[in-house]
Amino acid sequence: MANKQINGRPFAGPSQASPSDVVTAGAAARNSLLGVSCALSLALALGHSGVAQAQNTADNLGDEALAAQTTQAELQARIDQADDEVRQRIEALRQAEQEAQRLQSYNQALAPQLEQLKATLEQRSQGMATMAETRDALPGLLNDMTRRLDAWVDQDVPFLHGERKARVASLEASLANPELTTAEKLERVLAAWRAELDYGRDLDAWRGTLEKGDQTREVDFLRLGRVGWYYLTPDGQNGGVWNDGDWQSLSAAERDQVEKGLQIVRDQRAPELLTLPLTQPIEERS
């Protein structure tokens, strides 16, 4: 029988093997099995490591993709928000421009009024500056106006002469009253002048006493402003017109006109044109 070799050594077989050879062969077999086992373990270990590494790589890629999607979503949300803000600001700007146009039109419309108000304020400022001087000069002005009013009554047609002179006398007493303020005195002077001026714009009729020479009689007076002053006796037989400082007789036709005038003033007749001589020509009164 041919000899066999184990691990490079001759192996004669069971009948020829010695105990030391048997031990050596067993150790060699164990070593071979151990090497195979280690190789298998190393291969398995390497396989598990590759799978784990691949799994980790996939997980990392998934995380990065998710993070990228999240970032993109956040950026899109910011863009949308920015678009909304831009639209809101554009709308606010448009409204501001419209409001500015309205204000400009309003200011242009107010410009003439403001100019007029400015002129008025300047006039009032000037009036305030001279108010002290005016207040000091006012008492003398009131006395002068009263004297002029008294002279006016004396020179005017003497209708209601006693009543008008009494008004002037009352006015003089008011100016001398220390209990009245300057404003009250001014109001009374102006009221007296207004009453005199009203005589030239109205018609009046009243019954009174006529003194003519030594005779005194009751008559009806008719006054047409300041241009005509007439009288007529109750029986209509006598009448006159004041002219050149005295009474002048009227004709029968003129007395009829005076009668019509009395009826018109007393609302007993519709207004109509009267033909009468004038007490004072209009040219002289203008």
Side-chain angles (χ1 to χ4, degrees), residues 28-281:
R30 287 195 300 272
N31 289 335
S32 297
L33 292 174
L34 181 60
V36 172
S37 176
C38 289
L40 291 174
S41 299
L42 179 59
L44 291 174
L46 290 175
H48 286 295
S49 176
V51 172
Q53 185 176 3
Q55 184 65 36
N56 291 334
T57 302
D59 293 340
N60 291 334
L61 291 175
D63 293 339
E64 292 178 358
L66 181 59
Q69 293 178 356
T70 303
T71 302
Q72 184 177 2
E74 293 177 353
L75 289 176
Q76 186 63 41
R78 292 180 182 178
I79 292 173
D80 294 340
Q81 184 178 2
D83 290 341
D84 293 339
E85 292 178 356
V86 169
R87 284 192 293 270
Q88 292 175 0
R89 292 183 180 181
I90 291 175
E91 181 63 24
L93 179 60
R94 184 181 296 109
Q95 293 178 359
E97 290 177 349
Q98 294 176 354
E99 184 66 20
Q101 292 177 356
R102 286 195 294 269
L103 290 176
Q104 184 177 4
S105 301
Y106 182 67
N107 290 335
Q108 291 177 353
L110 285 181
Q113 300 180 17
L114 292 177
E115 290 296 331
Q116 184 177 2
L117 180 60
K118 180 180 178 181
T120 302
L121 290 177
E122 291 178 353
Q123 293 177 356
R124 291 184 178 179
S125 298
Q126 295 175 358
M128 292 292 292
T130 59
M131 181 177 293
E133 299 178 1
T134 303
R135 183 171 56 249
D136 295 339
L138 189 57
L141 178 62
L142 295 179
N143 289 326
D144 182 63
M145 292 178 66
T146 302
R147 287 192 298 268
R148 290 174 59 187
L149 181 62
D150 189 27
W152 172 277
V153 172
D154 289 338
Q155 297 173 7
D156 195 23
V157 178
F159 59 87
L160 302 176
H161 189 264
E163 177 182 330
R164 296 160 69 189
K165 292 290 288 186
R167 183 184 296 114
V168 173
S170 176
L171 186 58
E172 292 174 345
S174 297
L175 295 180
N177 186 355
E179 296 182 357
L180 294 178
T181 64
T182 304
E184 292 173 335
K185 294 177 181 179
L186 175 60
E187 178 60 30
R188 294 192 181 190
V189 171
L190 294 178
W193 270 100
R194 282 194 294 266
E196 281 295 325
L197 294 177
D198 287 342
Y199 287 138
R201 294 190 292 263
D202 61 5
L203 308 178
D204 195 11
W206 68 96
R207 175 161 291 188
T209 302
L210 174 66
E211 296 180 358
K212 189 175 182 181
D214 297 334
Q215 297 181 353
T216 300
R217 65 175 67 179
E218 189 177 64
V219 297
D220 291 318
F221 290 102
L222 173 65
R223 180 179 59 83
L224 306 178
R226 277 190 165 88
V227 298
W229 186 32
Y230 313 92
Y231 80 87
L232 186 67
T233 58
D235 58 8
Q237 297 300 315
N238 293 287
V241 55
W242 182 265
N243 194 335
D244 198 16
D246 198 2
W247 290 105
Q248 296 181 5
S249 298
L250 295 174
S251 65
E254 292 171 341
R255 292 196 299 272
D256 291 340
Q257 293 292 308
V258 173
E259 179 64 27
K260 290 180 181 179
L262 290 171
Q263 294 175 355
I264 292 172
V265 173
R266 292 168 178 169
D267 294 329
Q268 298 174 353
R269 188 186 186 96
E272 62 178 277
L273 183 63
L274 300 177
T275 304
L276 286 168
L278 297 178
T279 294
Q280 187 73 34

